[in-house]
Amino acid sequence: MNEEETTASFLNHEAEALLHFDEAMAAIPLEHKQDYLTAVEHDLVPTETDPLRYLKYAGFNAWDAAQRMCTYWQRRVFWFKERAFLPLRLENGALDMKDRLVLQSGYPVILPPTADGKPVILFDRSKLISNVDPVARNRAVWYGCVSVMLKCVFVLFTVFFQRMNTILTC
């Protein structure tokens, strides 16, 4: 198979995977995917939660990818409330001034990747502003993880609250 055929085969595989993703999403009950559907209405899914990224992370298991996508949007709504469907960016988006102050404090720091290319985020409690709003802290962490790599979000909430001063690698 030459390079052109390999590329065509890969693109066909991705297109088929996206069709399976859509089928899996259609099978998820409405109450579990409502936040995802709202994100679709706001045109955030292609730019912020590309289904192909979820499919690749899930080993092209469409059902797993669709469920993870729904969970992401449920958690994002939980943390960002009415701002959940604004773009996740520092200015004119989902992050407010409190969130930006946490990011500026140096509490979450994106470090250079490990030797094998894994991203690293350091949560340094010594940099945390003492009177910071805990919700703003969590939104800032969310932003940091999403900025580095999508799967950090799924690891974050199981590790972060157990070890507040740790290096989290994804």
Side-chain angles (χ1 to χ4, degrees), residues 31-68:
E31 62 270 12
H32 296 298
K33 65 180 174 185
Q34 189 57 55
D35 296 327
Y36 162 80
L37 294 174
T38 304
V40 169
E41 290 172 11
H42 286 86
D43 288 327
L44 289 173
V45 171
T47 57
E48 300 210 8
T49 54
D50 179 10
L52 199 51
R53 289 177 64 191
Y54 280 77
L55 285 161
K56 287 176 182 177
Y57 179 74
F60 287 91
N61 178 324
W63 180 253
D64 185 43
Q67 287 180 313
R68 287 178 185 274

PDB file of all heavy atoms in Angstrom, residues 31-68:
ATOM      1  N   GLU A  31     -31.378  12.460  29.146  1.00  0.00           N
ATOM      2  CA  GLU A  31     -30.978  13.089  30.409  1.00  0.00           C
ATOM      3  C   GLU A  31     -29.470  13.005  30.652  1.00  0.00           C
ATOM      4  O   GLU A  31     -28.913  13.803  31.397  1.00  0.00           O
ATOM      5  CB  GLU A  31     -31.738  12.498  31.604  1.00  0.00           C
ATOM      6  CG  GLU A  31     -31.506  11.031  31.863  1.00  0.00           C
ATOM      7  CD  GLU A  31     -32.477  10.111  31.128  1.00  0.00           C
ATOM      8  OE1 GLU A  31     -33.204  10.569  30.230  1.00  0.00           O
ATOM      9  OE2 GLU A  31     -32.493   8.913  31.471  1.00  0.00           O
ATOM     10  N   HIS A  32     -28.796  12.081  30.015  1.00  0.00           N
ATOM     11  CA  HIS A  32     -27.345  11.956  30.175  1.00  0.00           C
ATOM     12  C   HIS A  32     -26.563  12.770  29.147  1.00  0.00           C
ATOM     13  O   HIS A  32     -25.372  13.009  29.334  1.00  0.00           O
ATOM     14  CB  HIS A  32     -26.914  10.492  30.089  1.00  0.00           C
ATOM     15  CG  HIS A  32     -27.456   9.650  31.194  1.00  0.00           C
ATOM     16  ND1 HIS A  32     -27.157   9.870  32.516  1.00  0.00           N
ATOM     17  CD2 HIS A  32     -28.306   8.604  31.182  1.00  0.00           C
ATOM     18  CE1 HIS A  32     -27.786   8.997  33.267  1.00  0.00           C
ATOM     19  NE2 HIS A  32     -28.496   8.212  32.476  1.00  0.00           N
ATOM     20  N   LYS A  33     -27.225  13.168  28.068  1.00  0.00           N
ATOM     21  CA  LYS A  33     -26.502  13.896  27.021  1.00  0.00           C
ATOM     22  C   LYS A  33     -27.018  15.318  26.806  1.00  0.00           C
ATOM     23  O   LYS A  33     -26.585  15.987  25.877  1.00  0.00           O
ATOM     24  CB  LYS A  33     -26.546  13.122  25.702  1.00  0.00           C
ATOM     25  CG  LYS A  33     -27.931  12.963  25.096  1.00  0.00           C
ATOM     26  CD  LYS A  33     -27.855  12.173  23.794  1.00  0.00           C
ATOM     27  CE  LYS A  33     -29.245  11.891  23.261  1.00  0.00           C
ATOM     28  NZ  LYS A  33     -29.196  11.047  22.077  1.00  0.00           N
ATOM     29  N   GLN A  34     -27.885  15.802  27.687  1.00  0.00           N
ATOM     30  CA  GLN A  34     -28.465  17.132  27.504  1.00  0.00           C
ATOM     31  C   GLN A  34     -27.397  18.227  27.453  1.00  0.00           C
ATOM     32  O   GLN A  34     -27.460  19.123  26.621  1.00  0.00           O
ATOM     33  CB  GLN A  34     -29.485  17.440  28.602  1.00  0.00           C
ATOM     34  CG  GLN A  34     -30.268  18.714  28.338  1.00  0.00           C
ATOM     35  CD  GLN A  34     -30.993  18.682  27.008  1.00  0.00           C
ATOM     36  OE1 GLN A  34     -31.761  17.778  26.728  1.00  0.00           O
ATOM     37  NE2 GLN A  34     -30.757  19.674  26.169  1.00  0.00           N
ATOM     38  N   ASP A  35     -26.418  18.152  28.335  1.00  0.00           N
ATOM     39  CA  ASP A  35     -25.368  19.178  28.340  1.00  0.00           C
ATOM     40  C   ASP A  35     -24.537  19.112  27.052  1.00  0.00           C
ATOM     41  O   ASP A  35     -24.157  20.150  26.502  1.00  0.00           O
ATOM     42  CB  ASP A  35     -24.477  19.025  29.570  1.00  0.00           C
ATOM     43  CG  ASP A  35     -25.249  19.267  30.861  1.00  0.00           C
ATOM     44  OD1 ASP A  35     -26.176  20.105  30.859  1.00  0.00           O
ATOM     45  OD2 ASP A  35     -24.926  18.620  31.865  1.00  0.00           O
ATOM     46  N   TYR A  36     -24.273  17.910  26.582  1.00  0.00           N
ATOM     47  CA  TYR A  36     -23.576  17.743  25.306  1.00  0.00           C
ATOM     48  C   TYR A  36     -24.383  18.395  24.174  1.00  0.00           C
ATOM     49  O   TYR A  36     -23.825  19.127  23.342  1.00  0.00           O
ATOM     50  CB  TYR A  36     -23.343  16.259  25.013  1.00  0.00           C
ATOM     51  CG  TYR A  36     -23.041  15.969  23.568  1.00  0.00           C
ATOM     52  CD1 TYR A  36     -21.775  16.179  23.042  1.00  0.00           C
ATOM     53  CD2 TYR A  36     -24.035  15.483  22.706  1.00  0.00           C
ATOM     54  CE1 TYR A  36     -21.495  15.919  21.707  1.00  0.00           C
ATOM     55  CE2 TYR A  36     -23.762  15.217  21.383  1.00  0.00           C
ATOM     56  CZ  TYR A  36     -22.500  15.448  20.885  1.00  0.00           C
ATOM     57  OH  TYR A  36     -22.233  15.192  19.557  1.00  0.00           O
ATOM     58  N   LEU A  37     -25.679  18.146  24.145  1.00  0.00           N
ATOM     59  CA  LEU A  37     -26.525  18.714  23.087  1.00  0.00           C
ATOM     60  C   LEU A  37     -26.532  20.240  23.137  1.00  0.00           C
ATOM     61  O   LEU A  37     -26.539  20.901  22.097  1.00  0.00           O
ATOM     62  CB  LEU A  37     -27.945  18.152  23.191  1.00  0.00           C
ATOM     63  CG  LEU A  37     -28.079  16.658  22.911  1.00  0.00           C
ATOM     64  CD1 LEU A  37     -29.501  16.182  23.193  1.00  0.00           C
ATOM     65  CD2 LEU A  37     -27.663  16.327  21.484  1.00  0.00           C
ATOM     66  N   THR A  38     -26.521  20.783  24.344  1.00  0.00           N
ATOM     67  CA  THR A  38     -26.454  22.242  24.486  1.00  0.00           C
ATOM     68  C   THR A  38     -25.121  22.754  23.940  1.00  0.00           C
ATOM     69  O   THR A  38     -25.076  23.791  23.272  1.00  0.00           O
ATOM     70  CB  THR A  38     -26.647  22.657  25.955  1.00  0.00           C
ATOM     71  OG1 THR A  38     -27.888  22.130  26.427  1.00  0.00           O
ATOM     72  CG2 THR A  38     -26.641  24.170  26.109  1.00  0.00           C
ATOM     73  N   ALA A  39     -24.042  22.031  24.204  1.00  0.00           N
ATOM     74  CA  ALA A  39     -22.732  22.417  23.664  1.00  0.00           C
ATOM     75  C   ALA A  39     -22.743  22.368  22.138  1.00  0.00           C
ATOM     76  O   ALA A  39     -22.142  23.233  21.488  1.00  0.00           O
ATOM     77  CB  ALA A  39     -21.653  21.501  24.221  1.00  0.00           C
ATOM     78  N   VAL A  40     -23.416  21.375  21.575  1.00  0.00           N
ATOM     79  CA  VAL A  40     -23.550  21.284  20.116  1.00  0.00           C
ATOM     80  C   VAL A  40     -24.264  22.529  19.590  1.00  0.00           C
ATOM     81  O   VAL A  40     -23.838  23.121  18.596  1.00  0.00           O
ATOM     82  CB  VAL A  40     -24.297  19.995  19.704  1.00  0.00           C
ATOM     83  CG1 VAL A  40     -24.684  20.033  18.234  1.00  0.00           C
ATOM     84  CG2 VAL A  40     -23.458  18.766  20.014  1.00  0.00           C
ATOM     85  N   GLU A  41     -25.333  22.937  20.277  1.00  0.00           N
ATOM     86  CA  GLU A  41     -26.081  24.132  19.855  1.00  0.00           C
ATOM     87  C   GLU A  41     -25.214  25.383  19.889  1.00  0.00           C
ATOM     88  O   GLU A  41     -25.422  26.305  19.100  1.00  0.00           O
ATOM     89  CB  GLU A  41     -27.289  24.340  20.774  1.00  0.00           C
ATOM     90  CG  GLU A  41     -28.381  23.310  20.613  1.00  0.00           C
ATOM     91  CD  GLU A  41     -29.474  23.445  21.663  1.00  0.00           C
ATOM     92  OE1 GLU A  41     -29.505  24.460  22.391  1.00  0.00           O
ATOM     93  OE2 GLU A  41     -30.297  22.522  21.752  1.00  0.00           O
ATOM     94  N   HIS A  42     -24.246  25.431  20.797  1.00  0.00           N
ATOM     95  CA  HIS A  42     -23.350  26.577  20.922  1.00  0.00           C
ATOM     96  C   HIS A  42     -22.088  26.431  20.069  1.00  0.00           C
ATOM     97  O   HIS A  42     -21.152  27.223  20.190  1.00  0.00           O
ATOM     98  CB  HIS A  42     -22.957  26.786  22.391  1.00  0.00           C
ATOM     99  CG  HIS A  42     -24.047  27.367  23.216  1.00  0.00           C
ATOM    100  ND1 HIS A  42     -25.021  26.596  23.815  1.00  0.00           N
ATOM    101  CD2 HIS A  42     -24.329  28.650  23.539  1.00  0.00           C
ATOM    102  CE1 HIS A  42     -25.850  27.378  24.477  1.00  0.00           C
ATOM    103  NE2 HIS A  42     -25.446  28.628  24.326  1.00  0.00           N
ATOM    104  N   ASP A  43     -22.040  25.427  19.211  1.00  0.00           N
ATOM    105  CA  ASP A  43     -20.900  25.180  18.311  1.00  0.00           C
ATOM    106  C   ASP A  43     -19.576  25.006  19.047  1.00  0.00           C
ATOM    107  O   ASP A  43     -18.517  25.358  18.529  1.00  0.00           O
ATOM    108  CB  ASP A  43     -20.759  26.309  17.274  1.00  0.00           C
ATOM    109  CG  ASP A  43     -21.853  26.264  16.224  1.00  0.00           C
ATOM    110  OD1 ASP A  43     -22.301  25.150  15.887  1.00  0.00           O
ATOM    111  OD2 ASP A  43     -22.256  27.344  15.750  1.00  0.00           O
ATOM    112  N   LEU A  44     -19.612  24.440  20.251  1.00  0.00           N
ATOM    113  CA  LEU A  44     -18.391  24.243  21.020  1.00  0.00           C
ATOM    114  C   LEU A  44     -17.772  22.862  20.809  1.00  0.00           C
ATOM    115  O   LEU A  44     -16.575  22.678  21.033  1.00  0.00           O
ATOM    116  CB  LEU A  44     -18.668  24.431  22.519  1.00  0.00           C
ATOM    117  CG  LEU A  44     -18.946  25.861  22.951  1.00  0.00           C
ATOM    118  CD1 LEU A  44     -19.380  25.903  24.394  1.00  0.00           C
ATOM    119  CD2 LEU A  44     -17.718  26.723  22.732  1.00  0.00           C
ATOM    120  N   VAL A  45     -18.557  21.898  20.388  1.00  0.00           N
ATOM    121  CA  VAL A  45     -18.048  20.524  20.294  1.00  0.00           C
ATOM    122  C   VAL A  45     -16.907  20.399  19.292  1.00  0.00           C
ATOM    123  O   VAL A  45     -15.856  19.843  19.627  1.00  0.00           O
ATOM    124  CB  VAL A  45     -19.195  19.522  20.023  1.00  0.00           C
ATOM    125  CG1 VAL A  45     -18.659  18.137  19.710  1.00  0.00           C
ATOM    126  CG2 VAL A  45     -20.132  19.476  21.232  1.00  0.00           C
ATOM    127  N   PRO A  46     -17.026  20.918  18.074  1.00  0.00           N
ATOM    128  CA  PRO A  46     -15.911  20.738  17.128  1.00  0.00           C
ATOM    129  C   PRO A  46     -14.609  21.403  17.579  1.00  0.00           C
ATOM    130  O   PRO A  46     -13.530  20.884  17.346  1.00  0.00           O
ATOM    131  CB  PRO A  46     -16.413  21.380  15.830  1.00  0.00           C
ATOM    132  CG  PRO A  46     -17.876  21.524  15.986  1.00  0.00           C
ATOM    133  CD  PRO A  46     -18.154  21.596  17.457  1.00  0.00           C
ATOM    134  N   THR A  47     -14.710  22.542  18.248  1.00  0.00           N
ATOM    135  CA  THR A  47     -13.506  23.282  18.611  1.00  0.00           C
ATOM    136  C   THR A  47     -12.953  22.901  19.981  1.00  0.00           C
ATOM    137  O   THR A  47     -11.746  22.972  20.199  1.00  0.00           O
ATOM    138  CB  THR A  47     -13.774  24.795  18.598  1.00  0.00           C
ATOM    139  OG1 THR A  47     -14.853  25.086  19.493  1.00  0.00           O
ATOM    140  CG2 THR A  47     -14.102  25.280  17.205  1.00  0.00           C
ATOM    141  N   GLU A  48     -13.806  22.505  20.913  1.00  0.00           N
ATOM    142  CA  GLU A  48     -13.337  22.253  22.272  1.00  0.00           C
ATOM    143  C   GLU A  48     -13.340  20.783  22.671  1.00  0.00           C
ATOM    144  O   GLU A  48     -12.591  20.398  23.563  1.00  0.00           O
ATOM    145  CB  GLU A  48     -14.177  23.065  23.262  1.00  0.00           C
ATOM    146  CG  GLU A  48     -14.061  24.540  22.986  1.00  0.00           C
ATOM    147  CD  GLU A  48     -14.209  25.399  24.198  1.00  0.00           C
ATOM    148  OE1 GLU A  48     -14.254  24.874  25.323  1.00  0.00           O
ATOM    149  OE2 GLU A  48     -14.278  26.619  24.016  1.00  0.00           O
ATOM    150  N   THR A  49     -14.186  20.003  22.067  1.00  0.00           N
ATOM    151  CA  THR A  49     -14.246  18.574  22.400  1.00  0.00           C
ATOM    152  C   THR A  49     -14.452  17.753  21.132  1.00  0.00           C
ATOM    153  O   THR A  49     -15.444  17.055  20.976  1.00  0.00           O
ATOM    154  CB  THR A  49     -15.377  18.285  23.417  1.00  0.00           C
ATOM    155  OG1 THR A  49     -16.610  18.797  22.902  1.00  0.00           O
ATOM    156  CG2 THR A  49     -15.089  18.904  24.768  1.00  0.00           C
ATOM    157  N   ASP A  50     -13.496  17.844  20.254  1.00  0.00           N
ATOM    158  CA  ASP A  50     -13.553  17.133  18.978  1.00  0.00           C
ATOM    159  C   ASP A  50     -13.787  15.640  19.223  1.00  0.00           C
ATOM    160  O   ASP A  50     -12.993  14.990  19.904  1.00  0.00           O
ATOM    161  CB  ASP A  50     -12.246  17.345  18.227  1.00  0.00           C
ATOM    162  CG  ASP A  50     -12.189  16.623  16.898  1.00  0.00           C
ATOM    163  OD1 ASP A  50     -13.228  16.093  16.446  1.00  0.00           O
ATOM    164  OD2 ASP A  50     -11.091  16.584  16.308  1.00  0.00           O
ATOM    165  N   PRO A  51     -14.875  15.083  18.705  1.00  0.00           N
ATOM    166  CA  PRO A  51     -15.162  13.662  18.925  1.00  0.00           C
ATOM    167  C   PRO A  51     -14.025  12.736  18.510  1.00  0.00           C
ATOM    168  O   PRO A  51     -13.815  11.690  19.115  1.00  0.00           O
ATOM    169  CB  PRO A  51     -16.411  13.415  18.069  1.00  0.00           C
ATOM    170  CG  PRO A  51     -17.075  14.743  17.978  1.00  0.00           C
ATOM    171  CD  PRO A  51     -15.948  15.742  17.953  1.00  0.00           C
ATOM    172  N   LEU A  52     -13.262  13.128  17.508  1.00  0.00           N
ATOM    173  CA  LEU A  52     -12.153  12.279  17.061  1.00  0.00           C
ATOM    174  C   LEU A  52     -11.093  12.124  18.156  1.00  0.00           C
ATOM    175  O   LEU A  52     -10.513  11.051  18.318  1.00  0.00           O
ATOM    176  CB  LEU A  52     -11.537  12.859  15.790  1.00  0.00           C
ATOM    177  CG  LEU A  52     -10.708  11.910  14.956  1.00  0.00           C
ATOM    178  CD1 LEU A  52     -11.447  10.609  14.652  1.00  0.00           C
ATOM    179  CD2 LEU A  52     -10.300  12.583  13.662  1.00  0.00           C
ATOM    180  N   ARG A  53     -10.864  13.167  18.932  1.00  0.00           N
ATOM    181  CA  ARG A  53      -9.924  13.071  20.058  1.00  0.00           C
ATOM    182  C   ARG A  53     -10.431  12.063  21.080  1.00  0.00           C
ATOM    183  O   ARG A  53      -9.666  11.278  21.631  1.00  0.00           O
ATOM    184  CB  ARG A  53      -9.725  14.432  20.711  1.00  0.00           C
ATOM    185  CG  ARG A  53      -8.929  15.384  19.845  1.00  0.00           C
ATOM    186  CD  ARG A  53      -8.800  16.748  20.450  1.00  0.00           C
ATOM    187  NE  ARG A  53      -8.033  16.700  21.693  1.00  0.00           N
ATOM    188  CZ  ARG A  53      -7.943  17.715  22.542  1.00  0.00           C
ATOM    189  NH1 ARG A  53      -8.563  18.842  22.281  1.00  0.00           N
ATOM    190  NH2 ARG A  53      -7.227  17.605  23.637  1.00  0.00           N
ATOM    191  N   TYR A  54     -11.739  12.084  21.348  1.00  0.00           N
ATOM    192  CA  TYR A  54     -12.330  11.136  22.295  1.00  0.00           C
ATOM    193  C   TYR A  54     -12.240   9.714  21.746  1.00  0.00           C
ATOM    194  O   TYR A  54     -11.966   8.771  22.489  1.00  0.00           O
ATOM    195  CB  TYR A  54     -13.784  11.509  22.583  1.00  0.00           C
ATOM    196  CG  TYR A  54     -13.915  12.620  23.593  1.00  0.00           C
ATOM    197  CD1 TYR A  54     -13.690  13.944  23.250  1.00  0.00           C
ATOM    198  CD2 TYR A  54     -14.260  12.338  24.903  1.00  0.00           C
ATOM    199  CE1 TYR A  54     -13.808  14.955  24.177  1.00  0.00           C
ATOM    200  CE2 TYR A  54     -14.382  13.339  25.845  1.00  0.00           C
ATOM    201  CZ  TYR A  54     -14.151  14.652  25.479  1.00  0.00           C
ATOM    202  OH  TYR A  54     -14.256  15.644  26.405  1.00  0.00           O
ATOM    203  N   LEU A  55     -12.490   9.576  20.466  1.00  0.00           N
ATOM    204  CA  LEU A  55     -12.401   8.254  19.847  1.00  0.00           C
ATOM    205  C   LEU A  55     -10.977   7.703  19.921  1.00  0.00           C
ATOM    206  O   LEU A  55     -10.782   6.530  20.248  1.00  0.00           O
ATOM    207  CB  LEU A  55     -12.878   8.314  18.397  1.00  0.00           C
ATOM    208  CG  LEU A  55     -14.391   8.409  18.218  1.00  0.00           C
ATOM    209  CD1 LEU A  55     -14.745   8.933  16.835  1.00  0.00           C
ATOM    210  CD2 LEU A  55     -15.035   7.061  18.474  1.00  0.00           C
ATOM    211  N   LYS A  56     -10.006   8.532  19.633  1.00  0.00           N
ATOM    212  CA  LYS A  56      -8.610   8.083  19.699  1.00  0.00           C
ATOM    213  C   LYS A  56      -8.248   7.675  21.123  1.00  0.00           C
ATOM    214  O   LYS A  56      -7.609   6.645  21.337  1.00  0.00           O
ATOM    215  CB  LYS A  56      -7.673   9.171  19.187  1.00  0.00           C
ATOM    216  CG  LYS A  56      -7.732   9.349  17.683  1.00  0.00           C
ATOM    217  CD  LYS A  56      -6.862  10.498  17.215  1.00  0.00           C
ATOM    218  CE  LYS A  56      -6.974  10.691  15.714  1.00  0.00           C
ATOM    219  NZ  LYS A  56      -6.205  11.846  15.231  1.00  0.00           N
ATOM    220  N   TYR A  57      -8.661   8.468  22.090  1.00  0.00           N
ATOM    221  CA  TYR A  57      -8.355   8.148  23.487  1.00  0.00           C
ATOM    222  C   TYR A  57      -9.027   6.845  23.920  1.00  0.00           C
ATOM    223  O   TYR A  57      -8.468   6.066  24.678  1.00  0.00           O
ATOM    224  CB  TYR A  57      -8.782   9.297  24.405  1.00  0.00           C
ATOM    225  CG  TYR A  57      -8.497   8.994  25.852  1.00  0.00           C
ATOM    226  CD1 TYR A  57      -7.196   9.025  26.337  1.00  0.00           C
ATOM    227  CD2 TYR A  57      -9.520   8.646  26.720  1.00  0.00           C
ATOM    228  CE1 TYR A  57      -6.916   8.727  27.656  1.00  0.00           C
ATOM    229  CE2 TYR A  57      -9.246   8.338  28.043  1.00  0.00           C
ATOM    230  CZ  TYR A  57      -7.950   8.386  28.508  1.00  0.00           C
ATOM    231  OH  TYR A  57      -7.677   8.074  29.806  1.00  0.00           O
ATOM    232  N   ALA A  58     -10.225   6.596  23.403  1.00  0.00           N
ATOM    233  CA  ALA A  58     -10.991   5.395  23.764  1.00  0.00           C
ATOM    234  C   ALA A  58     -10.645   4.205  22.871  1.00  0.00           C
ATOM    235  O   ALA A  58     -11.372   3.212  22.871  1.00  0.00           O
ATOM    236  CB  ALA A  58     -12.489   5.698  23.685  1.00  0.00           C
ATOM    237  N   GLY A  59      -9.585   4.300  22.118  1.00  0.00           N
ATOM    238  CA  GLY A  59      -9.209   3.193  21.238  1.00  0.00           C
ATOM    239  C   GLY A  59     -10.253   2.934  20.167  1.00  0.00           C
ATOM    240  O   GLY A  59     -10.477   1.792  19.759  1.00  0.00           O
ATOM    241  N   PHE A  60     -10.913   3.993  19.727  1.00  0.00           N
ATOM    242  CA  PHE A  60     -11.969   3.958  18.722  1.00  0.00           C
ATOM    243  C   PHE A  60     -13.190   3.160  19.169  1.00  0.00           C
ATOM    244  O   PHE A  60     -13.955   2.668  18.350  1.00  0.00           O
ATOM    245  CB  PHE A  60     -11.440   3.520  17.352  1.00  0.00           C
ATOM    246  CG  PHE A  60     -10.614   4.595  16.712  1.00  0.00           C
ATOM    247  CD1 PHE A  60      -9.236   4.644  16.915  1.00  0.00           C
ATOM    248  CD2 PHE A  60     -11.211   5.586  15.961  1.00  0.00           C
ATOM    249  CE1 PHE A  60      -8.476   5.656  16.363  1.00  0.00           C
ATOM    250  CE2 PHE A  60     -10.451   6.601  15.401  1.00  0.00           C
ATOM    251  CZ  PHE A  60      -9.086   6.634  15.597  1.00  0.00           C
ATOM    252  N   ASN A  61     -13.391   3.065  20.472  1.00  0.00           N
ATOM    253  CA  ASN A  61     -14.617   2.495  21.028  1.00  0.00           C
ATOM    254  C   ASN A  61     -15.641   3.630  21.075  1.00  0.00           C
ATOM    255  O   ASN A  61     -15.582   4.510  21.940  1.00  0.00           O
ATOM    256  CB  ASN A  61     -14.351   1.937  22.430  1.00  0.00           C
ATOM    257  CG  ASN A  61     -15.587   1.364  23.076  1.00  0.00           C
ATOM    258  OD1 ASN A  61     -16.692   1.866  22.914  1.00  0.00           O
ATOM    259  ND2 ASN A  61     -15.392   0.301  23.841  1.00  0.00           N
ATOM    260  N   ALA A  62     -16.571   3.630  20.133  1.00  0.00           N
ATOM    261  CA  ALA A  62     -17.513   4.739  19.976  1.00  0.00           C
ATOM    262  C   ALA A  62     -18.398   4.921  21.205  1.00  0.00           C
ATOM    263  O   ALA A  62     -18.685   6.058  21.604  1.00  0.00           O
ATOM    264  CB  ALA A  62     -18.374   4.530  18.735  1.00  0.00           C
ATOM    265  N   TRP A  63     -18.836   3.837  21.799  1.00  0.00           N
ATOM    266  CA  TRP A  63     -19.703   3.930  22.976  1.00  0.00           C
ATOM    267  C   TRP A  63     -18.951   4.596  24.138  1.00  0.00           C
ATOM    268  O   TRP A  63     -19.468   5.505  24.785  1.00  0.00           O
ATOM    269  CB  TRP A  63     -20.210   2.545  23.366  1.00  0.00           C
ATOM    270  CG  TRP A  63     -21.105   2.573  24.552  1.00  0.00           C
ATOM    271  CD1 TRP A  63     -20.812   2.139  25.808  1.00  0.00           C
ATOM    272  CD2 TRP A  63     -22.440   3.096  24.617  1.00  0.00           C
ATOM    273  NE1 TRP A  63     -21.885   2.352  26.643  1.00  0.00           N
ATOM    274  CE2 TRP A  63     -22.896   2.933  25.932  1.00  0.00           C
ATOM    275  CE3 TRP A  63     -23.291   3.678  23.674  1.00  0.00           C
ATOM    276  CZ2 TRP A  63     -24.159   3.336  26.350  1.00  0.00           C
ATOM    277  CZ3 TRP A  63     -24.552   4.087  24.084  1.00  0.00           C
ATOM    278  CH2 TRP A  63     -24.980   3.919  25.399  1.00  0.00           C
ATOM    279  N   ASP A  64     -17.729   4.158  24.374  1.00  0.00           N
ATOM    280  CA  ASP A  64     -16.910   4.733  25.440  1.00  0.00           C
ATOM    281  C   ASP A  64     -16.646   6.212  25.167  1.00  0.00           C
ATOM    282  O   ASP A  64     -16.755   7.053  26.065  1.00  0.00           O
ATOM    283  CB  ASP A  64     -15.600   3.958  25.565  1.00  0.00           C
ATOM    284  CG  ASP A  64     -14.755   4.418  26.735  1.00  0.00           C
ATOM    285  OD1 ASP A  64     -15.315   4.649  27.826  1.00  0.00           O
ATOM    286  OD2 ASP A  64     -13.526   4.540  26.567  1.00  0.00           O
ATOM    287  N   ALA A  65     -16.314   6.542  23.946  1.00  0.00           N
ATOM    288  CA  ALA A  65     -16.033   7.936  23.581  1.00  0.00           C
ATOM    289  C   ALA A  65     -17.266   8.817  23.778  1.00  0.00           C
ATOM    290  O   ALA A  65     -17.164   9.925  24.313  1.00  0.00           O
ATOM    291  CB  ALA A  65     -15.551   8.013  22.141  1.00  0.00           C
ATOM    292  N   ALA A  66     -18.428   8.338  23.374  1.00  0.00           N
ATOM    293  CA  ALA A  66     -19.658   9.121  23.521  1.00  0.00           C
ATOM    294  C   ALA A  66     -20.001   9.326  24.998  1.00  0.00           C
ATOM    295  O   ALA A  66     -20.397  10.426  25.407  1.00  0.00           O
ATOM    296  CB  ALA A  66     -20.809   8.428  22.788  1.00  0.00           C
ATOM    297  N   GLN A  67     -19.840   8.294  25.797  1.00  0.00           N
ATOM    298  CA  GLN A  67     -20.106   8.432  27.231  1.00  0.00           C
ATOM    299  C   GLN A  67     -19.138   9.415  27.877  1.00  0.00           C
ATOM    300  O   GLN A  67     -19.548  10.236  28.704  1.00  0.00           O
ATOM    301  CB  GLN A  67     -20.005   7.072  27.917  1.00  0.00           C
ATOM    302  CG  GLN A  67     -21.175   6.166  27.591  1.00  0.00           C
ATOM    303  CD  GLN A  67     -21.042   4.826  28.303  1.00  0.00           C
ATOM    304  OE1 GLN A  67     -19.999   4.194  28.294  1.00  0.00           O
ATOM    305  NE2 GLN A  67     -22.133   4.412  28.919  1.00  0.00           N
ATOM    306  N   ARG A  68     -17.868   9.357  27.502  1.00  0.00           N
ATOM    307  CA  ARG A  68     -16.876  10.285  28.045  1.00  0.00           C
ATOM    308  C   ARG A  68     -17.205  11.723  27.644  1.00  0.00           C
ATOM    309  O   ARG A  68     -17.032  12.652  28.435  1.00  0.00           O
ATOM    310  CB  ARG A  68     -15.472   9.921  27.578  1.00  0.00           C
ATOM    311  CG  ARG A  68     -14.923   8.692  28.249  1.00  0.00           C
ATOM    312  CD  ARG A  68     -13.533   8.356  27.690  1.00  0.00           C
ATOM    313  NE  ARG A  68     -13.030   7.123  28.230  1.00  0.00           N
ATOM    314  CZ  ARG A  68     -12.366   7.021  29.377  1.00  0.00           C
ATOM    315  NH1 ARG A  68     -12.141   8.089  30.089  1.00  0.00           N
ATOM    316  NH2 ARG A  68     -11.936   5.862  29.799  1.00  0.00           N
TER     317      ARG A  68
END
